[in-house]
Amino acid sequence: MTYPVTVPVDDTIDETLDSAVATSQPGLMRSAWGLWRTRIGVALVVLLVGIAIVGPWVAPYGASEFVGTANMRDVPGTWLGTDYFGQDVWSRFLHGGRSILFLATVSTLIGFLFGSAIGLIAAYNRGRIDDVLMRFMDVILAFPQLLLALVALTTVGPKPWLIISIVGFTTIPRIARITRGAAVPVVERDFVAAAEALGESRFRIITRELLPNVIGPLLVEANLRLTYAIGIIAGLGFLGFATERNAADWGLMVQENRVALSVQPWGTVLPAIAIALLTVGTGLISDGLSRTVAGIDRGRPDS
Amino acid sequence: MGIFKLIIRRLLLGVATLFVVSIAVFLLTNVLGDPVKRMLGRGALPDVVTARRAELNLDEPIVNRYFTWLKGLLTGEPGVSYTNGTPVWELLSDRVKNSLFLMALSSAISIPLSLFIGGYTALRRDGWADRVMSNQLLVLAAMPEFVVGAFLTVIFATNIWHIVPAVSRIRPGESPWSDLDGMILPVATLVLAVTPHVGRTMRAAMIEVLESDYVEMARLKGLPERSVLWRHAFPNALGPTLQVIALNIAYLAGGVVIVESLFNFRGLGIALRDAIPEANAPVVQFIAMFIATIYVISNLMADLFTIIVTPRLRTRLQ
Amino acid sequence: MTDQRKLWVPPTLGRRQLIVGAGAVGAAGLLAACGGDDDTASVNTTAPSGTTAATEPPGTTAPGAPATTAPGVTETTVPAGGIKSGGTLRVGVVGSTNDLMDAQYIVARADQARLITGWEPISNYDDNFNIAYNNSLAEEIEAVAPDQYVVRLKQGVEFHNGKTVGADDLIYSFNRLIDPELGIAPNLTQFIDANSFTKLDDRTVQIDLLKPSVAFLYGMADYGATIVPVDYARFAGDPATQIGTGAFKLKSFTPGSESVHTRFENYWGESYLDEVQIIDFADQSALVNALSSGDIDVAIDVPYAQAGSIESSGELTLLESQAGNWQTITMRVDMAPFDDVRVRQAMRLISNREEMVQRVLSGHGRVGNDMYGVLDGSYPKDFPQREQDIEAAKALLKDAGQENLEIELFAPDDTAGLPEYATAFAEQAKAAGINVTATVLDGGTYWGDQYTQRVFATSYWSTRPYLNQVGAGSLPTATYPETHWPPAGSNFVELYDQAIAEVDTDKRNELIREMQRQEYEEGGNIISYFQNLIDGHATYVKGAVARPNLINFDHFGRGWKNIWLDL
């Protein structure tokens, strides 16, 4: 499936080229910062990441310190009562942001890097490479994710690297498909043909011409994937695969205390709110970014 | 390339995909460990173990076992559960029905809903509805299913109101239609889980399309806005969204173990979860292949629909 | 239980409960020797003020047995209108598609519920842990000698298919228990083989043991020692094959979904319900939610975390029974560092038992004293209660040269409480300056080849008479020699052999007392608590009584025959 490429010769092409290149410049961040949603997003993410980093130092109790009978709402000396194991909910919350942030971010990054690379290569080269890559992605997608996760974790055990690998690996084909879908129309655009005509290398075309033009949908997807990564890792806790038993971890906390939701809701509600705010934050940022990208790409200001 | 040729090609690809998946699934289930040791426990005498292994054909070479299994699967004899001797089909037939029903019902609600939300918010971009809904979708997407499900239960079934059943109660042998009440919470949870993803994709795609040159062209040509939206914008935005829908359908068919657990829904996800630690290979293999098949089919459908609804692609095929 | 188990292993997510792992199940009870005696049970606590004594429905217990109540439990009483018959009882229990149905073998809680519904044992325990026959099929068992017993069955008891229960069925049932193909109770083969049985008449069988065991009598009271008809086989798809003598006979069974049992009209005793449904739940939260929303009438094994939400509801109530179930941290007495008795003693002084009960059981249990067999009359309740003493522990460790000990403590992820027990112990050990790392393993791995091989691990047991428990866990020949007790040079095995052949209760108890003293002072178990059994039910479900019990929901209402609905 190749399409006739006409070599464009008029000036508008150069403008398009410039604007496309411009998206990868620092201007993107600056433009995005102009949007209120980006600012709120950044504020939320900074707040939550801040809690995750500073929390352990300001927590009144240790993460696994016994403070009173388990699952109690009113325990003297605590703000929000005890969790499933007689530990202070508030202190656990302060301790619990680091690991899930780390696991979710790293696994999403892995999926994002490999997935977008595969998607772009497939879209740009089309033909056989495209076929092979995307069929391979299909096989991964067709393979039940749940089965892969359960089998791997049962046989190897819930190691952090394994959880990162599984979540990252299953994210790859999803990002790849989205990237390819978004990149195919771009490949057909005139400025790509122009770049080819100018003799630019494939790598340069892919990274400088294609990538900036698909970064919008990609960021949206990556943000969703980050959200799901948090959900999946928390869900693995639900299925019994926490990296470390009784580790203070927002995802795990939600699961550990879920049974007691009607008796002592804080253990579940507090980390759930934290996770929600965090993902709303990253969502707003990627929203802002994608709007900015779209705006520059089309030479039209964001409304 | 004619559309029929394309369908045939995609079908063959789908079968090839399933074949590769079947090999992977078979190999993976063999990693799980020895079912006999688990079946018999620690007190078992060695010769009893050997005899039981022979009974299950576990002493044969793996290649032979693979083809025996594949043949059984294709001829409708997927084997017998190692843990309780129940034929796999008998054990799972109700669950296949239930899972398909849950998938169908959740899709039937969440797909139109998310297309509507996505399309509407894209059209009214930055209007109050868009702001409210976009943020709602973000928050919903952010909540793990078991949190959403647990809150729905507390609110509607146990602690605050008692207006819907807390658990699904489809009796064995009965159709899921017999327990529509019990479907409310699982379906609601899944709709809330799937809609943000599809809705956001639809919104993004729709915005993309609305800003594209050809929609501009159509407007410039003076076509009525309604026609621009329905004839040009919507079909083109549907393409990328369909791919995401296909992914979600496969997920709904067998990946919803958490929702099944929360509402005690007798679906395939729980059965898969039960079977893996027991190395109950016949059950694991059957469910895995079922989910893979659903994925391949829904993907095929997504591709076809994409071609049918996208004018550009349609034209190209002719 | 505070079930954090995973699904698959979850109880939640319905992982199988592996009750059989440490022998909480029937078969294991039969194999060991026995040591019960005629004393009254030690657990009877005086009812706290404000608690009314239980009024029991007919046929529940031996007459005159004192009712024991757990604190905070509302008693079931028979209203003026009397017992009502009829209705369908919906019972929820955590189960999975791995569920099986066998009259003599279980793996998980759901299997246990179904076994007790369909089949009845040879004899049974009364509230004081003595042998009784009111909930079982024998009319009488005569202990002729420590190696000879004569079992006479009740007259005219019918199986579900109309056949009368006879001597041949009893012999078949015993042979099935020791059938190597089935592997139900392989260790029973040290006491009986195919030639041990002599049919004296249609309902009387003489059993000659291969070696003396007073424990054998108690083994026959185990709920897994049931009588099945000749040629009975495990469920493989056809409900009609599942023939027992219980008050309810099987109508349908779908593993992972439900089983339906209908009233057996020719039952030898009394029963009230028309139908019992045992419904599988994949997750404990779903189970409790179903109870709260009225979708089931009884929830078996409520998580401690949710006990409060059931208590606070006017329509629901808890049935909390002080049970003898215990969880233990096991130290191998034959391996370093625990081959040094001072290290074992130090470990036992590290455990803060009251904190364990609050932490692991949310308060739903009693502190332990490193001794088991709490419902047995021989339980040494006069041994001083061991308390946490970090200074003494430190001194012992220093003496032993282990003040900087670093050690891994293993726990399985499929048994609620054990990972928490290990984690809490690791936390408490910090105070003594040693570094204990709690490592949680997947249940399949944990109970696999390495089980009983690990130096420092956790386990759980249901309760049984002291000598039976010794046979199951504390002998070189034990089924599960977790602590590898006794240490070299000990006369513990000789004492055991004397005790198990001793018919005189007083003399036997003297021997037992010396065995207990050795275990109390030098043993390898850290038993910090006994767990309560907690079940929830709607207030209209009557007939279950909270009393010291081995099995949930008052022994599943003894196969539901005691249960009735006040609707």
Side-chain angles (χ1 to χ4, degrees):
Chain A
M1 294 192 229
T2 47
Y3 308 100
V5 175
T6 46
V7 181
V9 276
D10 61 11
D11 293 345
T12 55
I13 306 301
D14 289 329
E15 278 177 36
T16 321
L17 259 178
D18 288 347
S19 64
V21 172
T23 55
S24 57
Q25 308 289 319
L28 172 64
M29 285 317 239
R30 210 173 303 142
S31 310
W33 185 247
L35 298 171
W36 61 269
R37 60 182 61 233
T38 319
R39 294 185 194 180
I40 294 179
V42 170
L44 282 176
V45 171
V46 167
L47 173 72
L48 272 300
V49 173
I51 290 174
I53 294 171
V54 180
W57 286 303
V58 298
Y61 297 98
S64 52
E65 195 176 335
F66 175 74
V67 295
T69 303
N71 299 306
M72 292 291 159
R73 221 180 308 184
D74 302 308
V75 178
T78 69
W79 279 25
L80 301 171
T82 56
D83 72 351
Y84 81 109
F85 198 34
Q87 301 157 143
D88 178 29
V89 167
W90 175 242
S91 300
R92 298 274 288 173
F93 168 74
L94 291 175
H95 278 100
R98 286 183 186 178
S99 70
I100 194 157
L101 280 180
F102 177 76
L103 293 178
T105 312
V106 174
S107 51
T108 308
L109 271 180
I110 288 175
F112 183 78
L113 287 178
F114 286 94
S116 58
I118 291 171
L120 288 169
I121 290 169
Y124 183 68
N125 291 290
R126 309 303 298 262
R128 191 150 296 272
I129 296 181
D130 181 22
D131 261 5
V132 171
L133 282 177
M134 295 326 284
R135 287 297 79 76
F136 183 59
M137 292 297 110
D138 271 353
V139 171
I140 301 181
L141 282 175
F143 196 89
Q145 197 180 355
L146 179 69
L147 175 69
L148 182 73
L150 293 186
V151 170
L153 291 167
T154 307
T155 46
V156 182
K159 305 277 186 293
W161 62 265
L162 188 64
I163 289 178
I164 288 175
S165 311
I166 291 170
V167 178
F169 182 70
T170 50
T171 306
I172 290 174
R174 288 168 170 79
I175 303 236
R177 282 184 74 116
I178 300 284
T179 313
R180 180 183 170 278
V184 166
V186 180
V187 174
E188 293 170 37
R189 293 251 203 95
D190 297 340
F191 60 81
V192 174
E196 279 170 346
L198 291 172
E200 287 190 34
S201 73
R202 290 180 156 213
F203 180 76
R204 198 178 153 80
I205 291 173
I206 288 176
T207 53
R208 305 297 297 269
E209 313 294 344
L210 284 186
L211 183 58
N213 282 291
V214 298
I215 200 83
L218 244 181
L219 282 176
V220 174
E221 182 66 17
N223 165 65
L224 270 175
R225 286 292 139 207
L226 178 67
T227 311
Y228 285 140
I230 293 172
I232 290 169
I233 293 167
L236 287 175
F238 178 98
L239 296 171
F241 299 108
T243 51
E244 200 187 322
R245 199 74 194 193
N246 195 39
D249 178 305
W250 290 342
L252 191 54
M253 273 179 84
V254 172
Q255 131 67 9
E256 287 168 342
N257 298 306
R258 169 184 69 93
V259 175
L261 183 62
S262 55
V263 183
Q264 156 55 314
W266 288 117
T268 310
V269 171
L270 197 61
I273 290 175
I275 293 172
L277 288 180
L278 180 69
T279 40
V280 169
T282 55
L284 288 173
I285 295 174
S286 71
D287 229 33
L289 284 174
S290 67
R291 277 163 195 247
T292 313
V293 172
I296 293 173
D297 185 25
R298 304 226 156 64
R300 198 196 290 173
D302 190 46
S303 47
Chain B
M1 190 160 32
I3 191 154
F4 288 105
K5 220 171 141 189
L6 185 99
I7 293 175
I8 303 270
R9 182 164 172 267
R10 281 302 169 93
L11 264 178
L12 290 176
L13 272 173
V15 172
T17 307
L18 284 179
F19 181 70
V20 178
V21 170
S22 75
I23 295 175
V25 164
F26 193 81
L27 289 176
L28 209 57
T29 46
N30 273 282
V31 179
L32 286 174
D34 188 347
V36 173
K37 279 199 171 166
R38 297 183 196 222
M39 283 160 71
L40 294 177
R42 279 174 302 281
L45 302 168
D47 47 335
V48 176
V49 173
T50 315
R52 190 63 65 88
R53 285 182 62 89
E55 231 170 81
L56 298 172
N57 295 327
L58 289 174
D59 46 356
E60 282 181 38
I62 188 165
V63 179
N64 294 8
R65 280 193 287 134
Y66 171 73
F67 284 107
T68 312
W69 166 67
L70 196 63
K71 197 178 145 215
L73 199 63
L74 294 175
T75 54
E77 285 166 11
V80 167
S81 161
Y82 287 165
T83 50
N84 49 29
T86 315
V88 168
W89 180 244
E90 202 171 294
L91 191 69
L92 299 179
S93 59
D94 278 338
R95 289 177 184 263
V96 167
K97 267 182 261 163
N98 296 349
S99 275
L100 286 175
F101 190 72
L102 183 65
M103 176 192 88
L105 203 55
S106 311
S107 308
I109 296 171
S110 72
I111 292 173
L113 183 69
S114 49
L115 292 182
F116 173 77
I117 293 178
Y120 184 82
T121 52
L123 282 177
R124 300 275 186 281
R125 203 174 159 193
D126 290 323
W128 66 269
D130 178 29
R131 288 176 197 207
V132 170
M133 279 201 246
S134 296
N135 292 333
Q136 290 295 334
L137 289 184
L138 264 176
V139 173
L140 276 178
M143 302 296 270
E145 281 163 19
F146 56 89
V147 177
V148 176
F151 278 110
L152 289 180
T153 309
V154 167
I155 296 169
F156 296 109
T158 56
N159 292 52
I160 301 180
W161 288 298
H162 284 63
I163 49 180
V164 292
V167 292
S168 151
R169 189 75 178 89
I170 306 169
R171 306 288 300 274
E174 280 180 15
S175 126
W177 288 106
S178 64
D179 184 46
L180 284 177
D181 278 8
M183 302 289 290
I184 294 174
L185 286 183
V187 168
T189 309
L190 287 174
V191 166
L192 291 176
V194 168
T195 304
H197 192 195
V198 180
R200 279 172 60 90
T201 310
M202 180 65 189
R203 180 178 176 277
M206 193 73 177
I207 287 173
E208 189 101 350
V209 172
L210 285 174
E211 291 181 351
S212 70
D213 301 340
Y214 55 85
V215 166
E216 198 123 326
M217 284 296 289
R219 281 184 175 139
L220 286 175
K221 275 197 290 183
L223 288 178
E225 187 65 16
R226 176 183 290 264
S227 165
V228 171
L229 288 181
W230 284 104
R231 303 266 320 265
H232 299 272
F234 188 73
N236 279 299
L238 212 48
T241 314
L242 281 170
Q243 302 294 328
V244 174
I245 290 174
L247 279 176
N248 280 294
I249 285 179
Y251 162 74
L252 289 174
V256 293
V257 55
I258 290 175
V259 169
E260 289 178 19
S261 302
L262 278 177
F263 302 109
N264 207 39
F265 186 85
R266 276 69 186 258
L268 291 168
I270 289 182
L272 182 63
R273 184 214 65 197
D274 289 346
I276 288 175
E278 300 301 317
N280 199 346
V283 175
V284 175
Q285 290 157 348
F286 179 86
I287 298 174
M289 290 314 294
F290 177 83
I291 299 174
T293 309
I294 292 286
Y295 171 75
V296 167
I297 292 172
S298 57
N299 211 24
L300 186 69
M301 304 288 278
D303 282 353
L304 288 180
F305 272 114
T306 308
I307 290 165
I308 291 167
V309 299
T310 314
R312 281 175 301 159
L313 295 173
R314 208 164 47 206
T315 324
R316 199 171 287 158
L317 279 171
Q318 280 152 7
Chain C
M1 296 194 187
T2 59
D3 203 334
Q4 304 301 324
R5 221 168 12 203
K6 322 349 137 254
L7 302 249
W8 48 35
V9 209
T12 198
L13 272 208
R15 187 154 193 162
R16 77 172 186 168
Q17 290 186 286
L18 231 128
I19 294 183
V20 89
V25 181
L30 255 180
L31 28 106
C34 234
D37 47 60
D38 300 326
D39 292 357
T40 47
S42 58
V43 255
N44 289 353
T45 53
T46 30
S49 58
T51 321
T52 50
T55 312
E56 291 161 17
T60 332
T61 48
T68 317
T69 56
V73 175
T74 327
E75 288 310 322
T76 320
T77 48
V78 180
I83 292 175
K84 296 176 189 168
S85 289
T88 295
L89 182 73
R90 299 160 303 168
V91 181
V93 60
V94 171
S96 80
T97 47
N98 298 319
D99 287 357
L100 53 85
M101 184 177 285
D102 188 298
Q104 300 177 316
Y105 179 75
I106 72 156
V107 173
R109 182 90 61 211
D111 306 340
Q112 188 186 44
R114 292 188 173 112
L115 186 155
I116 290 174
T117 305
W119 292 272
E120 295 168 300
I122 302 167
S123 61
N124 60 275
Y125 293 121
D126 67 12
D127 283 2
N128 298 320
F129 229 46
N130 299 320
I131 297 297
Y133 306 101
N134 57 330
N135 290 307
S136 48
L137 298 177
E139 185 178 278
E140 190 191 16
I141 300 174
E142 189 187 349
V144 183
D147 60 353
Q148 192 181 70
Y149 296 87
V150 174
V151 179
R152 189 163 66 253
L153 297 169
K154 287 191 169 78
Q155 193 155 23
V157 174
E158 261 181 51
F159 281 115
H160 296 151
N161 62 356
K163 194 170 120 13
T164 303
V165 178
D168 293 328
D169 302 307
L170 179 65
I171 295 172
Y172 176 81
S173 303
F174 267 113
N175 282 322
R176 189 170 183 273
L177 283 173
I178 55 172
D179 183 351
E181 287 292 319
L182 296 169
I184 296 174
N187 289 39
L188 206 52
T189 51
Q190 54 181 310
F191 298 111
I192 51 174
D193 63 15
N195 302 320
S196 301
F197 308 99
T198 314
K199 181 175 167 182
L200 300 182
D201 64 42
D202 275 353
R203 58 186 182 101
T204 314
V205 173
Q206 176 181 314
I207 306 168
D208 292 285
L209 300 189
L210 301 172
K211 65 179 186 189
S213 168
V214 293
F216 193 78
L217 179 65
Y218 291 85
M220 286 185 280
D222 194 289
Y223 74 89
T226 59
I227 301 183
V228 296
V230 172
D231 293 334
Y232 168 83
R234 182 173 298 176
F235 178 83
D238 181 9
T241 60
Q242 298 305 295
I243 294 167
T245 59
F248 296 89
K249 60 182 177 184
L250 186 66
K251 182 175 159 199
S252 66
F253 173 43
T254 310
S257 293
E258 66 174 26
S259 59
V260 178
H261 311 258
T262 50
R263 183 181 160 83
F264 174 39
E265 296 299 341
N266 294 341
Y267 182 62
W268 59 271
E270 255 185 296
S271 70
Y272 311 108
L273 298 163
D274 291 334
E275 183 176 288
V276 177
Q277 299 175 3
I278 299 179
I279 302 161
D280 282 24
F281 282 77
D283 176 77
Q284 278 190 321
S285 296
L287 175 66
V288 177
N289 289 340
L291 182 68
S292 305
S293 70
D295 295 299
I296 53 173
D297 310 309
V298 177
I300 298 301
D301 219 7
V302 170
Y304 296 132
Q306 290 198 323
S309 73
I310 290 178
E311 268 169 341
S312 64
S313 158
E315 294 149 10
L316 305 176
T317 184
L318 283 181
L319 187 76
E320 181 162 3
S321 315
Q322 290 192 341
N325 297 12
W326 47 287
Q327 300 195 326
T328 174
I329 292 175
T330 60
M331 304 176 280
R332 275 191 69 165
V333 303
D334 60 338
M335 302 268 279
F338 302 124
D339 53 353
D340 186 328
V341 65
R342 289 169 297 189
V343 182
R344 302 201 292 272
Q345 288 164 340
M347 291 295 166
R348 285 169 151 193
L349 291 171
I350 283 170
S351 174
N352 183 335
R353 291 142 207 269
E354 188 49 44
E355 184 181 310
M356 292 291 182
V357 170
Q358 296 308 320
R359 234 187 142 156
V360 182
L361 308 180
S362 299
H364 298 280
R366 291 168 290 163
V367 296
N369 199 21
D370 299 329
M371 298 306 297
Y372 45 75
V374 69
L375 297 185
D376 189 343
S378 68
Y379 184 78
K381 43 190 178 293
D382 53 331
F383 284 3
Q385 174 62 47
R386 200 160 269 147
E387 307 280 353
Q388 186 184 46
D389 188 342
I390 295 296
E391 288 316 309
K394 274 183 167 171
L396 282 164
L397 286 166
K398 195 155 192 284
D399 280 356
Q402 294 285 2
E403 61 267 41
N404 299 315
L405 180 65
E406 296 208 1
I407 192 159
E408 208 171 2
L409 172 57
F410 293 93
D413 68 353
D414 63 354
T415 309
L418 291 186
E420 291 77 16
Y421 188 14
T423 308
F425 186 85
E427 190 73 15
Q428 293 171 2
K430 283 180 190 162
I434 59 172
N435 188 4
V436 175
T437 317
T439 302
V440 179
L441 300 175
D442 153 64
T445 310
Y446 187 88
W447 304 110
D449 296 340
Q450 285 299 303
Y451 168 61
T452 73
Q453 298 304 308
R454 298 186 182 91
V455 174
F456 203 27
T458 53
S459 186
Y460 69 103
W461 296 82
S462 71
T463 195
R464 49 174 65 83
Y466 180 76
L467 285 182
N468 293 54
Q469 181 62 47
V470 169
S474 296
L475 287 180
T477 56
T479 325
Y480 306 114
E482 293 167 344
T483 62
H484 294 254
W485 180 262
S490 154
N491 66 343
F492 190 84
V493 178
E494 292 153 39
L495 290 169
Y496 171 78
D497 286 340
Q498 289 168 28
I500 201 158
E502 179 56 66
V503 257
D504 184 287
T505 305
D506 289 340
K507 283 189 189 152
R508 187 167 69 240
N509 276 352
E510 264 173 50
L511 294 163
I512 287 176
R513 176 113 183 141
E514 172 57 18
M515 293 166 73
Q516 289 170 331
R517 195 195 54 76
Q518 290 184 12
E519 284 210 88
Y520 178 72
E521 282 167 12
E522 301 185 356
N525 281 307
I526 308 173
I527 300 168
S528 297
Y529 52 80
F530 297 100
Q531 303 160 286
N532 290 352
L533 293 173
I534 306 187
D535 309 293
H537 63 93
T539 47
Y540 56 75
V541 176
K542 307 286 187 187
V545 177
R547 53 185 148 199
N549 222 324
L550 310 186
I551 293 172
N552 287 80
F553 203 64
D554 197 13
H555 208 110
F556 295 111
R558 289 285 173 188
W560 313 110
K561 67 178 173 183
N562 296 334
I563 307 300
W564 55 281
L565 301 175
D566 189 17
L567 288 169

